[in-house]
Amino acid sequence: MAKFKKAGLLLAALGLVFVTACSGNTGKNVNKEESGSTNTSTSTADSAFAAGKYDPPIEISTVLMPIKNYGGKGDTKENNVHDRWMLETLGIKHKDTWYPASDDQYRQKLQLAISSGEKLPDFVKVPTNAVLTNQLIDSGQFIAIDELFDKYATKVWKDHAEKNPELWYPFTRDGKKYNVPLMEYTNNDNTLLWLREDWMEKLKLEAPKTIADLEVIMDKFKNENPDGLAPKDVYPLAISLKGATNTWMGGLDWLFGAYGSVQEQWNKDKDGNLEYGSVNPGAKAALAKLQEWMNKGYIHADSALWDEGKSAESWTKGAAGILPGANWVPDWPAPDLLKNVPGSKYKAYPVPAGPDGYMGTKWQNSGVNASIMINKDAKHPEAIFLYYNYLLENLANPTVGSKYEHGFAQGYDWDIVDGQPTSNKDKIPGFTNEFPFITGPARIPDLFMTTLVKLADGVAPETPYEKQTAEFRKPENWYAAKVVMDQKDIRKQNYFTGAATETMVSKWNLLRQSEMETFNKIIYGKLPVDAFDEFVSSWKANGGDQITKEVNEWFQSVSKK
């Protein structure tokens, strides 16, 4: 669900416009100090890493959004269990840390600091926003982190970066890396199809292996509805056409992928170059199919007005039988379906293949949640590595008998009740599992899905992490993860993660507007399917070809060894 997949993203609502800001590719004002050239003494850093903490303690500044629940024990944003733990365990304490009240306030404060040259904190957390990243690099206030990462990052962190070198692409300038990547669970947002399993059972239908199979299911859902709904009241496929169609709920990446291309992202072609998926010939076939489905009433006529949440609502109210979504749908919004429609059931199904055997969906890029940038004036730039290493090594996957076997802080997210450890919030006064981690919660990228697949295969949970996951995630979630991982090879990555190119700044908004208008008009039958060809020609002539050239130049610059 959205709150799960974005946990730890303090800045998700920064809202910097993708194509109206300067791309920052000029390199003006970029700090040219060598990576790792800092004011701290090497001996102090090495001593801290050898001992596992700073002694005497050091002070750092960073950015922390106040959390809602500090535990009801007198804790505050300036004095809480996390900060006391950080000082005691790592010898680190806050000084002059920013505590913005909201994302908007942080955005304003950060942009003002950049424009005025005001000193920024030692460690600045940045969302996955290419424009903001490049603005911060251009400010000249942050160092390249290559040498620090090579010297101090823990093995699990380095191993993931080595396996997924593309995670560095948004953070690379002139061959140097400027952001420390913070890891997120991989494959957690991958698309699958959630079908009304009670309808499937009553109609004695089998899993759809192809788009043609899915059409049979949609026709029966609509015209032979097992709940007795009239055809006019059933729109089998719940989708969102309001904004991006390659999205996290009610998306269409799986349908375009069935015809050989994933739309609204930059895919690799057969020669290894990047192409925009929405102008690939396969997109025309996908649009033709959507027009056909709209004509047959498989898609609600209001879908162009629906965002992701509204498309899900159609499914949870019982009017739709198919919802494209991620493995976490059992946590949200599926409980609403069970509440609204007594006797309803749901189940995850693999995405089907197109007529030529193609399958494809979007893929969550490289297991990166956000990043940290390090101020050139930070006295202890390596401190963020000591901190995050500890979280990764001790909290991300705790061992049996360890200090964090049951949770982070006794009396907060776990306690001993009736002689037994528990994390049951109803048994712990002032329960909270919200802690102001500088980096957000530590996550080993492949651990979550690996654990869910293990549970789906009937293997008993053994580690503390596995036991906690088994307790908090529903069996339907376990099974969905197995469906996702069985199709992991069909996932298509968006390879362009840089700031807007020069031509994008002036042309992209109009090109995207033309794309959405043309696609919607084709889907609704207001334009013939062949209008796609005219759109592609216009797209190329009005900046698309030049943007494609610039995107590939960027890709070559960041991916070269």
Side-chain angles (χ1 to χ4, degrees):
M1 56 189 163
K3 66 181 181 180
F4 173 74
K5 68 191 177 97
K6 298 298 182 188
L9 258 179
L10 304 181
L11 316 170
L14 278 173
L16 294 177
V17 179
F18 177 60
V19 298
T20 57
C22 292
S23 68
N25 289 334
T26 61
K28 294 178 181 177
N29 299 322
V30 175
N31 173 46
K32 296 298 183 181
E33 294 183 28
E34 288 299 314
S35 168
S37 176
T38 67
N39 295 326
T40 189
S41 69
T42 301
S43 60
T44 299
D46 290 347
S47 296
F49 274 82
K53 66 183 297 186
Y54 290 93
D55 187 13
I58 64 166
E59 295 178 331
I60 64 168
S61 57
T62 185
V63 180
L64 289 172
M65 302 291 280
I67 60 178
K68 295 179 181 179
N69 180 10
Y70 284 96
K73 300 175 177 61
D75 286 11
T76 65
K77 64 183 182 182
E78 295 91 357
N79 180 13
N80 55 74
V81 66
H82 165 271
D83 290 2
R84 295 189 295 271
W85 162 87
M86 185 171 68
L87 178 58
E88 178 183 348
T89 305
L90 302 175
I92 301 173
K93 57 183 176 180
H94 289 298
K95 179 183 180 182
D96 299 328
T97 284
W98 289 8
Y99 294 97
S102 66
D103 292 324
D104 285 342
Q105 186 189 90
Y106 177 62
R107 171 181 56 82
Q108 294 166 6
K109 186 175 178 67
L110 185 60
Q111 289 183 311
L112 179 62
I114 294 172
S115 62
S116 66
E118 176 189 345
K119 186 180 185 301
L120 289 158
D122 296 333
F123 305 108
V124 172
K125 192 172 184 182
V126 189
T128 51
N129 184 299
V131 170
L132 178 59
T133 294
N134 278 274
Q135 288 177 327
L136 291 169
I137 293 174
D138 285 341
S139 75
Q141 291 203 41
F142 299 92
I143 62 171
I145 55 86
D146 303 69
E147 292 182 13
L148 287 168
F149 188 86
D150 289 344
K151 183 173 183 178
Y152 294 117
T154 193
K155 186 177 186 301
V156 65
W157 204 0
K158 287 182 177 178
D159 287 348
H160 182 70
E162 184 176 355
K163 291 177 183 177
N164 300 274
E166 65 275 4
L167 68 79
W168 294 113
Y169 295 172
F171 313 137
T172 300
R173 175 80 67 81
D174 298 330
K176 294 182 179 181
K177 306 176 182 71
Y178 283 87
N179 297 50
V180 181
L182 303 177
M183 295 192 292
E184 178 58 278
Y185 292 136
T186 50
N187 299 299
N188 191 39
D189 287 337
N190 293 353
T191 305
L192 44 77
L193 300 183
W194 289 96
L195 273 61
R196 282 286 299 276
E197 186 63 10
D198 54 318
W199 289 2
M200 293 290 287
E201 291 174 351
K202 291 174 182 176
L203 293 167
K204 296 181 171 54
L205 296 172
E206 296 182 354
K209 292 183 172 59
T210 65
I211 294 296
D213 294 340
L214 189 68
E215 290 178 300
V216 171
I217 291 172
M218 288 194 291
D219 187 73
K220 289 187 176 294
F221 280 2
K222 185 173 183 68
N223 297 306
E224 301 176 28
N225 189 267
D227 282 353
L229 299 175
K232 67 180 180 63
D233 296 325
V234 184
Y235 299 89
L237 179 61
I239 60 170
S240 169
L241 296 173
K242 184 176 182 180
T245 60
N246 180 353
T247 187
W248 54 272
M249 181 78 75
L252 288 167
D253 52 316
W254 59 276
L255 180 62
F256 281 77
Y259 292 93
S261 180
V262 176
Q263 84 285 17
E264 299 175 2
Q265 66 177 44
W266 292 85
N267 310 301
K268 276 187 180 180
D269 64 18
K270 59 182 175 57
D271 297 319
N273 298 315
L274 302 192
E275 67 165 7
Y276 188 56
S278 295
V279 298
N280 181 284
K284 181 179 181 179
L287 291 170
K289 184 57 65 178
L290 286 166
Q291 185 184 88
E292 178 185 338
W293 289 355
M294 181 66 75
N295 288 337
K296 290 182 176 180
Y298 295 165
I299 300 170
H300 199 289
D302 289 341
S303 295
L305 305 175
W306 289 356
D307 60 14
E308 293 85 352
K310 190 66 176 179
S311 68
E313 187 178 307
S314 173
W315 186 72
T316 59
K317 286 186 173 180
I322 304 165
L323 176 67
N327 76 89
W328 38 259
V329 161
D331 294 315
W332 181 85
D336 290 338
L337 170 66
L338 302 182
K339 180 176 65 176
N340 295 333
V341 185
S344 59
K345 297 165 63 177
Y346 61 90
K347 182 180 176 181
Y349 284 86
V351 301
D356 296 321
Y358 291 121
M359 289 187 287
T361 75
K362 64 181 175 60
W363 181 65
Q364 177 186 342
N365 291 348
S366 306
V368 174
N369 186 336
S371 63
I372 295 280
M373 297 188 75
I374 303 176
N375 197 306
K376 63 182 176 61
D377 295 325
K379 293 181 179 180
H380 301 279
E382 78 290 336
I384 196 66
F385 291 90
L386 185 75
Y387 178 95
Y388 195 45
N389 284 354
Y390 189 92
L391 295 188
L392 290 171
E393 292 168 353
N394 294 278
L395 277 80
N397 189 17
T399 57
V400 174
S402 70
K403 180 180 180 180
Y404 307 101
E405 176 180 3
H406 305 296
F408 174 65
Q410 186 174 357
Y412 289 82
D413 61 340
W414 76 278
D415 212 340
I416 302 295
V417 178
D418 297 329
Q420 296 296 323
T422 181
S423 56
N424 187 329
K425 62 181 180 180
D426 296 327
K427 296 181 178 181
I428 303 172
F431 173 91
T432 182
N433 57 5
E434 296 182 68
F435 304 104
F437 294 116
I438 296 172
T439 57
R443 290 171 172 167
I444 297 172
D446 63 353
L447 183 60
F448 180 60
M449 297 299 278
T450 300
T451 298
L452 290 178
V453 170
K454 180 177 178 179
L455 295 172
D457 286 338
V459 179
E462 298 174 341
T463 69
Y465 180 87
E466 290 171 353
K467 291 177 181 178
Q468 292 171 19
T469 302
E471 180 180 0
F472 288 113
R473 300 294 158 191
K474 298 177 176 66
E476 293 88 349
N477 193 170
W478 309 352
Y479 177 75
K482 184 172 176 59
V483 172
V484 166
M485 297 309 289
D486 284 346
Q487 287 194 314
K488 65 181 180 180
D489 293 338
I490 73 167
R491 312 298 167 181
K492 309 299 182 184
Q493 179 176 354
N494 178 17
Y495 279 93
F496 180 65
T497 51
T501 69
E502 181 179 358
T503 306
M504 274 183 174
V505 171
S506 59
K507 302 286 189 180
W508 190 253
N509 279 346
L510 291 175
L511 291 177
R512 274 291 290 152
Q513 181 180 350
S514 173
E515 176 186 342
M516 290 303 298
E517 289 179 354
T518 302
F519 282 21
N520 275 353
K521 286 180 178 179
I522 291 174
I523 293 169
Y524 279 84
K526 295 180 179 179
L527 285 176
V529 175
D530 285 343
F532 174 83
D533 300 325
E534 183 179 343
F535 155 73
V536 172
S537 296
S538 176
W539 185 91
K540 291 182 175 182
N542 288 294
D545 276 344
Q546 180 62 26
I547 289 171
T548 301
K549 179 176 180 291
E550 292 168 359
V551 164
N552 276 282
E553 289 172 348
W554 167 88
F555 182 62
Q556 292 301 319
S557 74
V558 297
S559 60
K560 64 185 179 182
K561 300 295 183 182

